[in-house]
Amino acid sequence: MNNPNKEIILKNLKASQFFDDSGINLKVIKRDPELDYPLHHHDFYELVYVINGRGTHFTEEEQQPLRRGDVFCIVPGFFHGYKNCENLAIYNILIRTAFIENSTFDVKKMKGFKELFLPPRNTFGRLHLFSPQRHNAEKMIETLKTETENHSSTYGTETKSISTFLSFLVDLCRVKENPSLENGKNMQAIQKVLDYIEQTLDRTVTIEELLQAANMSESGLDRYFKASTGLSPVQYQIQQRINKACNMIIEGKFNIEQIAEKTGFSDPNYFSRAFKKTMHITPSQYKKQWSAQN
């Protein structure tokens, strides 16, 4: 194929640029934002998880739009790049080649593993995670990131890193093998509820509104929502409004009282209590800490 991007291909990225001599075979890099990046390749495996934003992932043969929840695997020697990035944020999970090729874990026998890590020539394995699946995936990736960053000072981090990664990998392979799981319809319903909450962070949303968005019974909503997020709809809604408040504090455009109002807390005292219950410090303390760190 005549490739118009050949002139901007980068040299091969080496594992030695990212891994140290500790023997840890995994590394997580969070790129926020991810910028446009020309065609390149590397001598290690790379699992990419899209956290937020939009962009285009392109290869020598095709290009694909990116959205939150997209996951794909790049095998060694495969050219790829990014363009049209708009607030794109990703996790890059780097994996030494030997870890994949020499390990004896039974996950390698899964059909989903072969589709992700052993795709047909000039292709790459990919899948999409819905919100309930994303919640668990992001927790495991953050755990993996923390463990791999602390490996030099704490015993047990290598074992924790491997077990967390394998658990994450098994979940991905199962989704890859069967994207229409038994609870697929329920996940789509919960997705609608999560989207509705995200669009209404400036006020308290009633259970009746959420039931209408999900089109299910209250007991069903509560059961599937907790299974997906670990929280009740009310707890999750408050958590997301507090997250929005944290971002507004960091932006520094509004005072605490204004932020409380803009996140749907008409009573500043209730806002302060809810904030402290979620963040373990008051809004004022959070603002002071952020200012001191930056």
Side-chain angles (χ1 to χ4, degrees):
M1 177 180 177
N2 184 19
N3 178 17
N5 296 304
K6 282 292 186 181
E7 71 275 11
I8 58 171
I9 289 178
L10 300 182
K11 66 178 182 180
N12 180 23
L13 300 180
K14 301 288 187 180
S16 58
Q17 296 174 254
F18 303 95
F19 296 94
D20 56 30
D21 297 327
S22 65
I24 296 290
N25 294 307
L26 304 163
K27 184 178 182 65
V28 179
I29 300 175
K30 185 176 183 179
R31 301 192 184 280
D32 185 7
E34 173 63 275
L35 304 177
D36 289 6
Y37 204 87
L39 280 172
H40 63 286
H41 66 120
H42 30 73
D43 64 355
F44 48 85
Y45 288 85
E46 180 182 59
L47 265 177
V48 180
Y49 177 92
V50 179
I51 309 167
N52 202 7
R54 296 181 297 176
T56 300
H57 177 251
F58 68 96
T59 70
E60 293 182 285
E61 305 292 336
E62 63 177 328
Q63 57 184 29
Q64 293 284 337
L66 296 175
R67 58 178 175 140
R68 184 181 180 191
D70 284 346
V71 184
F72 53 94
C73 180
I74 302 299
V75 301
F78 186 80
F79 286 103
H80 73 121
Y82 302 93
K83 62 183 179 180
N84 305 324
C85 297
E86 298 180 19
N87 300 316
L88 183 64
I90 64 174
Y91 284 115
N92 282 340
I93 303 175
L94 313 185
I95 313 153
R96 285 186 191 268
T97 303
F99 183 81
I100 294 294
E101 297 181 352
N102 299 338
S103 65
T104 59
F105 302 112
D106 66 349
V107 65
K108 294 180 67 175
K109 299 178 182 179
M110 298 180 70
K111 179 183 176 183
F113 178 90
K114 296 175 182 178
E115 292 177 348
L116 280 172
F117 287 88
L118 301 171
R121 184 176 175 82
N122 295 325
T123 65
F124 60 99
R126 56 179 176 253
L127 67 150
H128 180 77
L129 302 183
F130 289 100
S131 279
Q133 299 162 331
R134 294 200 301 257
H135 176 78
N136 293 328
E138 290 170 14
K139 284 177 60 178
M140 284 191 281
I141 294 173
E142 274 298 326
T143 298
L144 180 60
K145 185 174 186 294
T146 299
E147 294 296 329
T148 53
E149 289 175 348
N150 295 335
H151 68 83
S152 62
S153 59
T154 308
Y155 288 118
T157 55
E158 182 177 4
T159 300
K160 181 72 171 181
S161 299
I162 293 173
S163 62
T164 301
F165 174 72
L166 291 176
S167 180
F168 173 64
L169 188 56
V170 169
D171 286 351
L172 289 184
C173 291
R174 287 176 175 173
V175 173
K176 184 66 175 175
E177 291 176 354
N178 185 12
S180 300
L181 301 174
E182 286 186 6
N183 62 344
K185 290 184 178 180
N186 293 322
M187 283 200 297
Q188 292 179 25
I190 297 303
Q191 175 73 61
K192 291 180 180 179
V193 174
L194 294 170
D195 290 343
Y196 189 83
I197 291 175
E198 187 174 341
Q199 295 164 9
T200 53
L201 296 179
D202 58 345
R203 63 182 178 86
T204 299
V205 177
T206 66
I207 291 295
E208 288 71 23
E209 290 178 87
L210 300 183
L211 293 175
Q212 185 175 0
N215 192 27
M216 61 172 57
S217 67
E218 185 169 353
S219 60
L221 172 63
D222 192 62
R223 181 170 68 255
Y224 289 115
F225 199 96
K226 282 185 177 178
S228 300
T229 68
L231 301 171
S232 71
V234 172
Q235 291 170 329
Y236 180 85
Q237 181 191 165
I238 292 176
Q239 182 188 77
Q240 294 307 105
R241 287 159 64 195
I242 295 300
N243 287 343
K244 180 181 178 181
C246 289
N247 291 332
M248 294 180 72
I249 290 174
I250 291 171
E251 289 174 359
K253 296 179 180 179
F254 305 99
N255 61 39
I256 300 299
E257 290 74 18
Q258 290 172 321
I259 291 173
E261 183 178 355
K262 290 181 179 295
T263 51
F265 295 93
S266 56
D267 182 353
N269 292 326
Y270 175 53
F271 169 67
S272 184
R273 291 196 301 273
F275 192 101
K276 187 173 183 179
K277 185 175 182 180
T278 301
M279 303 302 297
H280 307 296
I281 57 175
T282 67
S284 298
Q285 289 171 331
Y286 184 88
K287 182 177 182 179
K288 186 176 180 179
Q289 279 190 10
W290 176 260
S291 298
Q293 293 172 2
N294 295 273

